[in-house]
Amino acid sequence: MPNIMALKNIAAALFAALAVAACSDTREAEPLDRLNGVVGKVNGVLISRLHVGGSDGAGFRYDCYPHGCGGTGQGFLFAPAEISRWLFEDGVTQVREIEGLEVVESVPDDGGWRAYGAWMDHSAAFLSRYGNDGFFIASSFGSGYGVPYPAEGSATWRGAMVGVDVVTADRYAGSASLEATFGEGQGMEVAFTGIANVETGASREDIVFSDLADVGIYDGGRFFGHSGHDDFDQAPVYIDGRFFGPDRAEAAGVFGYNELVGAFGARKRE
């Protein structure tokens, strides 16, 4: 695992590169300023497994340093500022709006996509594609998590999910719904509905996380669950998320559902 100083140096270099680029072209400054506001204050990062050519590559990291995450086995490193840099270099293309979230993508000169997802005021959720060989990872990051849960009551969040089939490389998008109950018998249900292929519009079955070894919610603003393997790191079905912003205003995280890996973000509804 890279040490904290190395991660800080990498993040600082990425920020510096972005700042230099911003001085020469301000066309995309406004939307990127919003994302950089999240990246600049990031204190929680989650990433999925790194999927390489349809198989699992680097180790699954569900608890990371503030400035990035390191994979095992292949020296893989993810830093949130990388998403900012890609969106600036490639330009921001809005793909669609889902439950009030603008889903955007970054498309480099080779015509493929590098980043696909959405950001909010305090958090962001993206898929990343590395090169043309099918290296995929899902990530979420944000600021202001760790607020204790209330003693009782319930809350709802609505937003979007994005996913990629790591075997076919097809991308998907749909709605995300989170329902939390606090206090005695506290629990969590996360549902992804209306999932459709980005290119063809073909639908995919809904995904509901409810009884996966219990989707637990824990003080510190985290919720997760898994199924199919006793070890979370090896489970083919999993969800791992955190609440971000004041009073848990937003939720973001990553998930795996067999061959589909993805990320989600949602805003709290009153």
Side-chain angles (χ1 to χ4, degrees):
M1 186 76 169
N3 59 41
I4 294 179
M5 185 58 69
L7 290 169
K8 287 183 176 179
N9 290 341
I10 291 172
L14 289 172
F15 277 124
L18 183 61
V20 170
C23 291
S24 60
D25 184 359
T26 60
R27 181 174 59 88
E28 298 290 355
E30 189 277 328
L32 290 176
D33 282 348
R34 290 196 287 126
L35 180 56
N36 287 337
V38 174
V39 173
K41 298 183 292 184
V42 65
N43 60 6
V45 182
L46 300 172
I47 65 171
S48 72
R49 297 182 182 95
L50 174 64
H51 293 268
V52 183
S55 62
D56 289 345
F60 178 74
R61 292 291 181 180
Y62 51 86
D63 195 9
C64 309
Y65 292 127
H67 297 282
C69 304
T72 58
Q74 300 183 20
F76 178 77
L77 176 70
F78 168 83
E82 189 172 33
I83 301 295
S84 292
R85 179 172 62 85
W86 285 355
L87 290 173
F88 185 88
E89 290 176 351
D90 303 335
V92 178
T93 302
Q94 180 175 339
V95 179
R96 65 185 64 190
E97 182 175 313
I98 302 176
E99 296 286 350
L101 269 64
E102 295 180 13
V103 179
V104 302
E105 66 179 1
S106 139
V107 180
D109 292 338
D110 66 8
W113 60 276
R114 288 201 288 185
Y116 180 62
W119 69 88
M120 300 173 285
D121 295 326
H122 308 282
S123 58
F126 277 90
L127 289 173
S128 301
R129 172 178 173 267
Y130 293 83
N132 296 314
D133 299 323
F135 289 72
F136 302 108
I137 191 170
S139 65
S140 69
F141 44 90
S143 61
Y145 78 93
V147 178
Y149 292 119
E152 60 184 9
S154 61
T156 299
W157 294 258
R158 294 284 188 271
M161 58 75 66
V162 292
V164 62
D165 186 310
V166 297
V167 177
T168 66
D170 290 339
R171 282 183 296 166
Y172 292 84
S175 299
S177 173
L178 293 79
E179 307 281 347
T181 302
F182 304 108
E184 185 176 354
Q186 70 179 14
M188 187 83 171
E189 179 174 290
V190 182
F192 302 139
T193 59
I195 304 170
N197 187 299
V198 170
E199 301 296 333
T200 68
S203 61
R204 193 174 182 121
E205 65 178 349
D206 294 346
I207 298 173
V208 179
F209 297 91
S210 57
D211 298 322
L212 304 179
D214 297 329
V215 179
I217 57 177
Y218 303 87
D219 283 339
R222 185 178 171 198
F223 54 92
F224 60 90
H226 70 283
S227 181
H229 196 287
D230 291 340
D231 187 344
F232 195 106
D233 288 9
Q234 301 298 319
V237 177
Y238 63 84
I239 186 166
D240 194 356
R242 283 175 173 162
F243 294 114
F244 296 103
D247 193 30
R248 298 162 297 279
E250 298 171 1
V254 299
F255 70 92
Y257 196 78
N258 300 316
E259 71 277 11
L260 189 71
V261 60
F264 62 93
R267 290 191 176 99
K268 192 174 183 181
R269 298 291 174 90
E270 299 298 332

